[in-house]
Amino acid sequence: MKDNIDLLNDFNKNINEYITDVMENYSIGKNAKVITHGCQMNEHDSEKIEWLLEKMGYTLVEDIEDSDFVVLNTCSIRHSAEDKVYGQLGNLKPLKKRNPKLKVAVCGCMMQRNESREYVIDNFKNVDIIFGTNNIWKLPELIVRNYSTKELAIDIEETQEKFDDYLGANRLYSYKSYVNIMYGCNNFCTYCIVPFTRGREDSRNPEDILLEIKNLAKNGTKEITLLGQNVNSYGKTLNHPISFSDLLYKINDIDGIERIRFMTSHPKDISDELMYAFKDLDKLCNFLHLPIQSGSSRILNLMNRKYTKEDYLEKIYKIRNINPNIAISTDLMIGFPSESEEDFLETIDLVKKVEYDTAFTFIYSIREGTIAGRSKEQVPDKVKHERFEKLLDVLYPIQLKKNSEFIGKKCKVLVDDFSKNNKDYLSGRTEEFKLVNFKGTKEQIGNIVDVNITSANTFSLKGEIIE
Ligand code: 5AD
Ligand code: SF4
């Protein structure tokens, strides 16, 4: 632990030296904006980037038109995510003409993929800095390098030591925070680009994680979300291996933390201990995200998921038996290569059997470099879209039914903010991750309050606060 604190101190000293260098030697615009695409990992990385930028003397601004430094934190998971970034880079060209001081940095998963990075370098000469998913900490040095050489500054090297762990984060909320517990993925699902962009599985030391959470709790964090591509295999690569459920029990003991969530679990690795943790641990929220992807065992095999539909259902029944109140969500992918109408109907059947509280639904997108991307049996777009619509027609009534079961219940809600659609209402999340809207006051933001649920629709609940 001492080594890490020394490392952090050295690191901060280095940043300060860089900052002095940049600020004294170059005339730079001081307004910065970070634009984030993709998952919670990226959101948390952007919190670190913002922290670093503020440390360097930048002021974070809302409007891209006002900024002198734009960072695009990118996602590669689907083709559409990459297209959005290319569109934004195109839009930045006229902005750079209007503000010659404007610097553009691109980071995140796309920059770890040779194809996308080279495409950016070849087609967007307005990009000044490129860094990878492990090199956030190098940003000050890259800025200095770009100013002094006037050339594109790149760093996408993977280092053994995860220096990014020692950065602070400009947390979006003071009362709920993301905490990385592991990086990368070893699963190589045949459709997925993540093992290529985020590298191999690597767990953080439990001591570092617990210290970070204790510090967050001291500063007012009530809810933490533990992040990893496959949290169920947490700890396997450590010198002194510990299991994910052991880690949860330790976190549950931390004073001040009231809620624990995690993302994402792989069904093949979910252990009995973890299922019992949902019963034993008072702070572990009654919510499990367990991505199935497809209800066809044939497709699951082609996806290299290492479980069948039956294995998955058995786990669902088991966990519901242990904790009948648990809310369950999933990821569903439509149109994986060679998916037949029969395979699709098996997905529909599974959705009806499980009755998910909510599901993230995706249309399969070819990712170059993956096994499925090379398949000759791609499903036509029209068929994919038709199946997708049919899936939503089944999912939404189930979602409504599950939400309606909350009417008349009293729920604990962590208040987030005023509702986006109606400023008279506050919104927050129950333990089951249900979005609830209710009338309240600004002072209640960040508190956990009791709410009586009065009505439900497909995507949210409505309620009345109990004073
Ligand atoms: N096409 C569509 N969806 C994908 N996902 C991952 N790769 C792809 C792809 N190539 C989805 C999976 C995963 C979620 C994070 O994104 O459902 O669980
Ligand atoms: Fe991708 Fe599969 Fe790893 Fe999830 S478990 S990140 S879907 S390879």
Side-chain angles (χ1 to χ4, degrees), residues 185-189 191-195 229-230 266 293 305:
C185 182
N186 288 353
N187 288 314
F188 289 94
C189 300
Y191 50 80
C192 188
I193 200 72
V194 170
Q229 306 296 347
N230 177 16
H266 194 302
Q293 313 298 353
R305 293 290 288 179

Side-chain angles (χ1 to χ4, degrees), residues 274-379:
L274 181 60
M275 294 194 197
Y276 282 102
F278 276 105
K279 186 172 161 199
D280 291 349
L281 298 180
D282 55 328
K283 298 179 182 174
L284 185 58
C285 288
N286 274 337
F287 174 75
L288 174 65
H289 181 66
L290 200 61
I292 173 99
Q293 313 298 353
S294 166
S296 155
S297 297
R298 187 186 78 84
I299 294 287
L300 289 171
N301 184 37
L302 290 174
M303 287 176 165
N304 191 30
R305 293 290 288 179
K306 300 196 174 76
Y307 55 83
T308 61
K309 171 183 176 178
E310 289 72 28
D311 297 335
Y312 181 91
L313 281 172
E314 206 176 292
K315 296 200 175 186
I316 295 284
Y317 295 143
K318 193 165 187 177
I319 189 152
R320 281 202 170 136
N321 208 12
I322 293 171
N323 179 345
N325 296 323
I326 198 156
I328 299 179
S329 77
T330 198
D331 290 346
L332 292 162
M333 194 190 299
I334 292 304
F336 182 84
S338 87
E339 182 190 69
S340 67
E341 192 61 21
E342 259 173 26
D343 294 317
F344 170 66
L345 290 176
E346 287 218 59
T347 300
I348 296 286
D349 175 62
L350 174 113
V351 165
K352 287 181 180 164
K353 281 204 171 93
V354 176
E355 296 202 318
Y356 289 106
D357 287 85
T358 162
F360 297 94
T361 47
F362 305 105
I363 291 179
Y364 169 74
S365 162
I366 295 177
R367 305 287 58 215
E368 291 90 7
T370 62
I371 292 178
R374 290 193 283 277
S375 169
K376 297 273 175 295
E377 295 181 80
Q378 300 295 335
V379 177

Side-chain angles (χ1 to χ4, degrees), residues 172-191:
L172 196 55
Y173 301 96
S174 58
Y175 48 88
K176 59 176 194 180
S177 306
Y178 292 130
V179 175
N180 287 120
I181 63 164
M182 61 193 300
Y183 302 96
C185 182
N186 288 353
N187 288 314
F188 289 94
C189 300
T190 56
Y191 50 80

Side-chain angles (χ1 to χ4, degrees), residues 6-7 102 188 192 226 232 252 275 300 310 351 439:
D6 287 346
L7 208 72
L102 178 66
F188 289 94
C192 188
L226 306 172
N232 299 131
N252 199 67
M275 294 194 197
L300 289 171
E310 289 72 28
V351 165
K439 279 199 170 143

